[in-house]
Amino acid sequence: MSDCIFCKIASHEIPSEIVYEDEKICVYKDLSPQAPVHVLMIPKKHIESLDDVTEEDQELLGYMLYKVHDIVKLMGIENGYRVVSNNGEDAFQTVKHMHLHILGGRKFGWPPG
Ligand code: 5GP
Ligand code: ZN
């Protein structure tokens, strides 16, 4: 999608600290990290939120979750991590391109804020 900031990051139009990418996904450091390790994993396909997935996205979504453990290892996270996806207004989704936050390197509270 031409005016989507995350699509522009995935296509290298906007610079960011990409830590991993392949034909399906892109993973890069969050601009405003909330933990010692905070990266965002996006599908290269523009999907606005989890509300907008279709049946054909099942494999892609499974692939994203499957790759989390590789990214955790790559980033040197030990002792646990959190995977978060904010969707829609109440969850304060600020960028309308579906993404997983992968956070680690500190203890997290529960319930989340
Ligand atoms: P959301 O609030 O939608 O769940 O998360 C969006 C995330 O994207 C935020 O954590 C924010 O810091 C991050 N973000 C917004 N714009 C940029 C950007 O241009 N580059 C990077 N690397 N992260 C961004
Ligand atoms: Zn996009």
Side-chain angles (χ1 to χ4, degrees), residues 79-99:
N79 223 35
Y81 54 91
R82 185 163 285 176
V83 179
V84 175
S85 182
N86 297 318
N87 292 272
E89 212 179 309
D90 278 0
F92 288 100
Q93 180 183 5
T94 57
V95 180
K96 303 289 188 285
H97 180 131
M98 184 258 155
H99 49 281

Side-chain angles (χ1 to χ4, degrees), residues 10-108:
S11 64
H12 300 201
E13 274 178 71
I14 291 179
S16 73
E17 282 193 70
I18 294 175
V19 299
Y20 175 84
E21 72 176 315
D22 59 29
E23 72 281 2
K24 295 188 185 106
I25 62 171
C26 186
V27 184
Y28 47 92
K29 293 187 181 175
D30 195 293
L31 205 57
S32 175
Q34 302 301 311
V37 177
H38 184 176
V39 295
L40 302 172
M41 178 190 286
I42 63 164
K44 286 192 170 175
K45 175 184 178 185
H46 181 86
I47 300 172
E48 189 164 315
S49 81
L50 285 175
D51 277 338
D52 302 290
V53 297
T54 63
E55 205 173 336
E56 68 172 26
D57 297 322
Q58 283 184 75
E59 196 181 323
L60 175 60
L61 293 167
Y63 181 73
M64 289 177 73
L65 281 181
Y66 165 72
K67 289 303 279 184
V68 166
H69 78 289
D70 283 341
I71 302 303
V72 164
K73 209 169 169 185
L74 179 73
M75 299 308 293
I77 299 173
E78 292 172 351
N79 223 35
Y81 54 91
R82 185 163 285 176
V83 179
V84 175
S85 182
N86 297 318
N87 292 272
E89 212 179 309
D90 278 0
F92 288 100
Q93 180 183 5
T94 57
V95 180
K96 303 289 188 285
H97 180 131
M98 184 258 155
H99 49 281
L100 302 180
H101 295 257
I102 302 171
L103 302 121
R106 69 169 171 85
K107 283 193 186 294
F108 298 99

